[in-house]
Amino acid sequence: MTIGDITPKKERKSRRSKHVVDDTAPLLPKRQDEDAGYDEFNGASFTGAVFNLSTTIVGAGIMALPATMKVLGLILGIAMIIFMAFLTDASIEFLLRFSRAGKTTSYGSLMGDAFGKYGRIFLQICVLVNNIGVLIVYMIIIAYDGLLVLEGDVLSGTSSSGVHHAGVLEGWFGEHWWNGRTFVLIVTTLGIFSPLACFKRIDSLRFTSALSVALAVVFLVITVGIAIIKLISGTIMMPRLLPDVTDLTSFWRLFTVVPVLVTAYICHYNVHSIDNELEDSTQIKPVVRTALALCSTVYIMTSFLGFLLFGDSTLDDVLANFDTDLGIPYGSLLNDAVRVSYAAHLMLVFPIVFYPLRLNMDGLLFPSARPLALSNMRFAFTTVGLITLIFLGANFIPSIWDAFQFTGATAAVCLGFIFPAAATLKDRHSIATKKDKILAIFMIVLAVFSNVVAVYSDAYAMFKKNSVTEPTA
């Protein structure tokens, strides 16, 4: 029995037409609600749903994947990317199947159905922690630098270790007040983030999501071109196929890439919103699998090409590698094209990640209120408040990434694997098979293990860095 067969379309539409005045209510009034005061909405298309889910998946983490190839080698690295795609598909299938069984229409209501009020609240807190952290990092990347190490910048530039790295705008026009970090963030927030965040339907973002995916493809096309030129000139060496394990330390290092791979496909907080708006609800399973296949292809290509180009010099954030001399004609122009396309990609990812953040914030603060889209004042205050918080965080927290790994990565694996697996093991409606429960246990073990590895590796790196920089007596 497939996911779409579990709830007939007629019954599904009937369920959507009900007013729900609690945490189970989605952000929008249902399509057939004639009293909502909105233009008739006939449902989201398959293509629009695929683009929205794909944009949710492909965020900033894409630039960290080439570094996993440096650790794992091409063969094991590509195999792990494919494996995590299949595991993500299974976890989303758990979410949808148990949502159908409990007649719930949101992730929060699913957790409430399985674990009560506190299960719903814990889920909403995790979405807030994860998505606020992600969006602050996006702002910093766009206006300041790169993802894992402050080595360069995207638009406005930065200074690291006393060395100034000119941004794209500064490189083009020279140093001015209007291409500084704060002004770039103000313009981006008011001109791009705020207008896109005002849409009340996630399907309204389908065109910006399609453009976002296209910009990720632009990065791939440019990288392919660079690789071809360097292959012809004979300046690329054969990348390592297998991990280089020489001692216990190098063996332990293999596991430090697990958090990156585990969190690469996190999109679960948007699945219900996309499912609720689909014209044909039986299409959600093909939507999920198509999006995962598309994103896996982008991930594999990015990882392969990044490692092929830079080899063992691949940095934790491969974008920082494009701040150096590529050794080819028009290398500086190609570097700028990569960085600008990536910054534009993240700008268009922002509203897709912001959408569930606003929904869960409202559900946490007003669990018994009517749907958010029916209250313009609540919608406006929640939107402005969250954007202001994210803007301030991006301006006053210059080194967010360490904190983000301790909080956001932990919340992300809860959202992606621990919560779906826990709902499966709870099996409130007695529909889980023995195979489902074994897979659920495996997901939880993997998620907990990846969290322990992430926290340990980050703490060890910070301790080692502090011990090196600490002045000697």
Coordinates of all heavy atoms in Angstrom, one line a residue, residues 142-189:
I142 N 25.7 35.6 3.1 CA 25.3 36.5 2.0 C 26.1 37.8 2.1 O 26.7 38.3 1.1 CB 23.8 36.8 2.0 CG1 23.1 35.6 1.5 CG2 23.5 38.0 1.0 CD1 21.6 35.7 1.8
A143 N 26.2 38.4 3.3 CA 26.8 39.7 3.4 C 28.2 39.7 3.9 O 28.9 40.7 3.8 CB 26.0 40.6 4.4
Y144 N 28.7 38.5 4.4 CA 29.9 38.5 5.1 C 30.9 37.5 4.5 O 32.0 37.8 4.0 CB 29.7 38.2 6.5 CG 30.6 38.8 7.5 CD1 31.4 39.8 7.1 CD2 30.6 38.4 8.8 CE1 32.3 40.4 8.1 CE2 31.4 39.0 9.7 CZ 32.3 40.0 9.4 OH 33.1 40.6 10.3
D145 N 30.6 36.2 4.6 CA 31.6 35.2 4.2 C 31.1 33.9 3.7 O 30.1 33.8 3.0 CB 32.4 34.9 5.4 CG 32.9 33.5 5.4 OD1 32.2 32.6 5.7 OD2 34.1 33.4 5.1
G146 N 31.7 32.9 4.3 CA 31.5 31.5 3.9 C 31.0 30.8 5.1 O 30.8 31.3 6.2
L147 N 30.9 29.5 5.0 CA 30.0 28.7 5.9 C 30.8 28.2 7.1 O 30.4 28.5 8.2 CB 29.5 27.5 5.1 CG 28.5 26.7 5.7 CD1 27.3 27.5 6.1 CD2 28.1 25.6 4.8
L148 N 31.8 27.5 7.0 CA 32.4 26.9 8.1 C 33.6 27.6 8.6 O 34.0 27.5 9.8 CB 32.9 25.4 7.8 CG 31.7 24.5 7.5 CD1 32.2 23.1 7.0 CD2 30.8 24.3 8.7
V149 N 34.3 28.3 7.7 CA 35.5 29.1 8.2 C 35.4 30.5 7.6 O 35.0 30.7 6.4 CB 36.8 28.4 7.7 CG1 37.1 27.2 8.4 CG2 36.7 28.1 6.2
L150 N 35.7 31.5 8.4 CA 35.7 32.9 7.9 C 36.9 33.2 7.1 O 37.9 33.8 7.5 CB 35.6 33.8 9.1 CG 34.3 33.7 9.9 CD1 34.3 34.6 11.1 CD2 33.1 34.0 9.0
E151 N 36.9 32.7 5.8 CA 38.0 32.9 4.9 C 37.9 33.9 3.9 O 38.8 34.4 3.3 CB 38.3 31.5 4.2 CG 39.1 30.5 5.1 CD 40.5 30.9 5.2 OE1 41.0 31.6 4.3 OE2 41.1 30.6 6.3
G152 N 36.7 34.2 3.5 CA 36.5 35.2 2.5 C 35.1 35.9 2.7 O 34.7 36.1 3.8
D153 N 34.4 36.2 1.6 CA 33.1 36.7 1.8 C 32.3 36.5 0.5 O 32.8 36.0 -0.4 CB 33.1 38.2 2.1 CG 33.6 38.9 0.9 OD1 33.0 39.0 -0.1 OD2 34.7 39.5 1.0
V154 N 31.1 36.9 0.5 CA 30.3 36.8 -0.7 C 30.0 38.2 -1.3 O 30.4 38.5 -2.4 CB 28.9 36.1 -0.4 CG1 28.0 36.2 -1.7 CG2 29.1 34.7 0.0
L155 N 29.5 39.1 -0.5 CA 29.2 40.4 -1.1 C 30.0 41.5 -0.4 O 30.7 42.3 -1.1 CB 27.7 40.7 -0.9 CG 26.7 39.8 -1.7 CD1 25.3 40.3 -1.5 CD2 27.1 39.9 -3.2
S156 N 29.9 41.7 0.9 CA 30.5 42.9 1.5 C 31.9 42.7 2.0 O 32.6 43.7 2.2 CB 29.6 43.3 2.7 OG 29.7 42.4 3.7
G157 N 32.4 41.5 2.2 CA 33.7 41.3 2.6 C 33.9 41.2 4.1 O 32.9 41.5 4.8
T158 N 35.0 40.8 4.6 CA 35.2 40.6 6.0 C 36.7 40.8 6.3 O 37.6 40.8 5.4 CB 34.7 39.3 6.5 OG1 34.9 39.2 7.9 CG2 35.5 38.1 5.9
S159 N 37.0 40.8 7.6 CA 38.4 40.8 8.0 C 38.6 39.6 8.9 O 37.9 39.5 9.9 CB 38.8 42.1 8.7 OG 38.7 43.2 7.9
S160 N 39.6 38.8 8.7 CA 39.9 37.7 9.5 C 41.4 37.6 9.8 O 42.2 37.7 8.9 CB 39.5 36.4 8.7 OG 39.8 35.2 9.5
S161 N 41.6 37.5 11.1 CA 43.0 37.5 11.6 C 43.8 38.7 11.1 O 45.0 38.6 10.8 CB 43.7 36.2 11.1 OG 43.0 35.1 11.5
G162 N 43.1 39.9 11.1 CA 43.8 41.1 10.7 C 44.0 41.3 9.2 O 44.5 42.3 8.8
V163 N 43.5 40.3 8.4 CA 43.7 40.4 6.9 C 42.3 40.7 6.3 O 41.4 39.9 6.6 CB 44.3 39.1 6.3 CG1 44.4 39.2 4.8 CG2 45.6 38.8 7.0
H164 N 42.2 41.7 5.6 CA 40.9 42.1 5.0 C 40.7 41.3 3.7 O 41.6 41.3 2.8 CB 40.8 43.6 4.7 CG 39.5 44.0 4.2 ND1 38.3 44.0 4.9 CD2 39.1 44.3 2.9 CE1 37.3 44.4 4.2 NE2 37.8 44.6 2.9
H165 N 39.5 40.7 3.5 CA 39.1 40.0 2.3 C 38.1 40.8 1.6 O 37.0 41.0 2.2 CB 38.6 38.6 2.6 CG 39.6 37.7 3.3 ND1 40.4 36.9 2.7 CD2 39.9 37.5 4.7 CE1 41.2 36.2 3.5 NE2 40.9 36.6 4.7
A166 N 38.4 41.3 0.5 CA 37.4 42.2 -0.2 C 36.2 41.4 -0.7 O 36.4 40.3 -1.3 CB 38.1 42.9 -1.4
G167 N 35.1 41.9 -0.6 CA 33.9 41.3 -1.1 C 33.7 41.6 -2.6 O 34.5 42.3 -3.2
V168 N 32.7 40.9 -3.2 CA 32.5 41.1 -4.6 C 32.2 42.6 -4.9 O 32.7 43.2 -5.8 CB 31.3 40.2 -5.1 CG1 30.9 40.5 -6.5 CG2 31.7 38.7 -4.9
L169 N 31.3 43.2 -4.1 CA 30.9 44.6 -4.3 C 32.1 45.5 -4.1 O 32.3 46.5 -4.9 CB 29.8 45.0 -3.4 CG 28.4 44.3 -3.6 CD1 27.4 44.7 -2.6 CD2 27.9 44.5 -5.0
E170 N 32.9 45.2 -3.1 CA 34.1 46.1 -2.9 C 35.1 45.9 -4.0 O 35.8 46.9 -4.4 CB 34.7 45.7 -1.5 CG 35.8 46.6 -1.1 CD 36.3 46.2 0.3 OE1 35.5 45.8 1.1 OE2 37.6 46.4 0.5
G171 N 35.2 44.7 -4.5 CA 36.1 44.4 -5.6 C 35.7 45.1 -6.8 O 36.6 45.6 -7.6
W172 N 34.4 45.2 -7.1 CA 33.9 45.9 -8.3 C 34.0 47.4 -8.2 O 34.3 48.1 -9.1 CB 32.5 45.4 -8.6 CG 32.4 44.0 -9.0 CD1 33.4 43.2 -9.4 CD2 31.1 43.3 -9.1 NE1 32.9 41.9 -9.7 CE2 31.5 42.0 -9.6 CE3 29.8 43.6 -8.9 CZ2 30.5 41.0 -9.8 CZ3 28.9 42.6 -9.1 CH2 29.2 41.3 -9.6
F173 N 33.6 47.9 -7.0 CA 33.3 49.4 -6.9 C 34.2 50.1 -5.9 O 34.2 51.3 -5.8 CB 31.9 49.6 -6.5 CG 30.8 49.0 -7.4 CD1 30.1 47.9 -7.0 CD2 30.6 49.5 -8.7 CE1 29.2 47.3 -7.9 CE2 29.7 49.0 -9.5 CZ 29.0 47.9 -9.1
G174 N 35.1 49.3 -5.3 CA 35.9 50.0 -4.2 C 35.2 50.0 -2.9 O 34.0 49.7 -2.8
E175 N 35.9 50.5 -1.9 CA 35.4 50.5 -0.5 C 34.5 51.7 -0.3 O 35.0 52.8 -0.4 CB 36.5 50.4 0.5 CG 36.0 50.3 1.9 CD 37.2 50.1 2.9 OE1 38.3 50.0 2.5 OE2 36.9 50.1 4.1
H176 N 33.2 51.5 0.0 CA 32.3 52.6 0.2 C 31.4 52.2 1.4 O 31.3 51.0 1.7 CB 31.4 52.9 -1.0 CG 32.2 53.3 -2.2 ND1 32.7 54.6 -2.4 CD2 32.6 52.6 -3.3 CE1 33.3 54.6 -3.6 NE2 33.3 53.4 -4.2
W177 N 30.7 53.2 1.9 CA 29.8 52.9 3.1 C 28.6 52.0 2.6 O 28.1 51.3 3.4 CB 29.2 54.2 3.6 CG 28.4 55.0 2.6 CD1 28.9 56.0 1.8 CD2 27.0 54.9 2.4 NE1 27.8 56.5 1.0 CE2 26.7 55.8 1.4 CE3 26.0 54.1 3.0 CZ2 25.4 56.0 0.9 CZ3 24.7 54.3 2.5 CH2 24.4 55.2 1.5
W178 N 28.2 52.1 1.4 CA 27.0 51.4 0.9 C 27.3 49.9 0.6 O 26.4 49.2 0.3 CB 26.4 52.1 -0.3 CG 27.3 52.4 -1.4 CD1 27.9 53.6 -1.6 CD2 27.7 51.6 -2.5 NE1 28.7 53.6 -2.7 CE2 28.6 52.4 -3.3 CE3 27.5 50.3 -2.8 CZ2 29.2 51.8 -4.4 CZ3 28.1 49.7 -4.0 CH2 28.9 50.5 -4.7
N179 N 28.6 49.5 0.6 CA 28.9 48.1 0.4 C 29.4 47.4 1.7 O 30.1 46.4 1.6 CB 29.7 47.8 -0.8 CG 31.1 48.5 -0.8 OD1 31.6 48.8 0.3 ND2 31.6 48.8 -2.0
G180 N 29.2 48.1 2.8 CA 29.5 47.5 4.1 C 28.5 46.5 4.5 O 27.4 46.4 4.0
R181 N 28.8 45.7 5.5 CA 28.0 44.6 6.0 C 26.6 45.0 6.4 O 25.6 44.4 5.9 CB 28.7 43.9 7.1 CG 27.9 42.7 7.7 CD 28.5 42.2 8.9 NE 28.0 40.9 9.3 CZ 28.2 40.4 10.5 NH1 29.0 41.0 11.4 NH2 27.7 39.2 10.8
T182 N 26.5 46.0 7.2 CA 25.2 46.4 7.7 C 24.2 46.9 6.6 O 23.1 46.5 6.6 CB 25.3 47.5 8.8 OG1 26.1 47.0 9.9 CG2 24.0 47.9 9.4
F183 N 24.8 47.8 5.7 CA 23.9 48.3 4.7 C 23.5 47.3 3.7 O 22.4 47.3 3.2 CB 24.7 49.4 4.0 CG 23.8 50.2 3.0 CD1 22.9 51.1 3.5 CD2 23.9 50.0 1.6 CE1 22.1 51.8 2.6 CE2 23.1 50.6 0.7 CZ 22.2 51.6 1.2
V184 N 24.4 46.3 3.4 CA 24.0 45.2 2.5 C 22.9 44.4 3.1 O 22.0 44.0 2.4 CB 25.3 44.3 2.2 CG1 24.8 43.0 1.5 CG2 26.3 45.1 1.3
L185 N 23.0 44.2 4.4 CA 21.9 43.4 5.1 C 20.6 44.1 5.1 O 19.5 43.5 4.9 CB 22.4 43.0 6.5 CG 23.3 41.8 6.6 CD1 23.7 41.6 8.1 CD2 22.7 40.6 6.0
I186 N 20.7 45.5 5.3 CA 19.4 46.3 5.3 C 18.8 46.2 4.0 O 17.5 46.0 3.9 CB 19.8 47.7 5.7 CG1 20.2 47.8 7.2 CG2 18.5 48.6 5.5 CD1 20.6 49.2 7.6
V187 N 19.5 46.4 2.9 CA 19.0 46.4 1.5 C 18.4 45.0 1.2 O 17.3 44.9 0.7 CB 20.0 46.8 0.5 CG1 19.5 46.6 -0.9 CG2 20.4 48.3 0.7
T188 N 19.2 44.0 1.6 CA 18.7 42.6 1.3 C 17.5 42.3 2.0 O 16.5 41.7 1.5 CB 19.8 41.6 1.6 OG1 21.0 41.9 0.9 CG2 19.4 40.2 1.2
T189 N 17.4 42.7 3.3 CA 16.3 42.4 4.2 C 15.0 43.1 3.7 O 13.9 42.5 3.6 CB 16.6 42.7 5.6 OG1 17.7 42.0 6.1 CG2 15.4 42.4 6.5

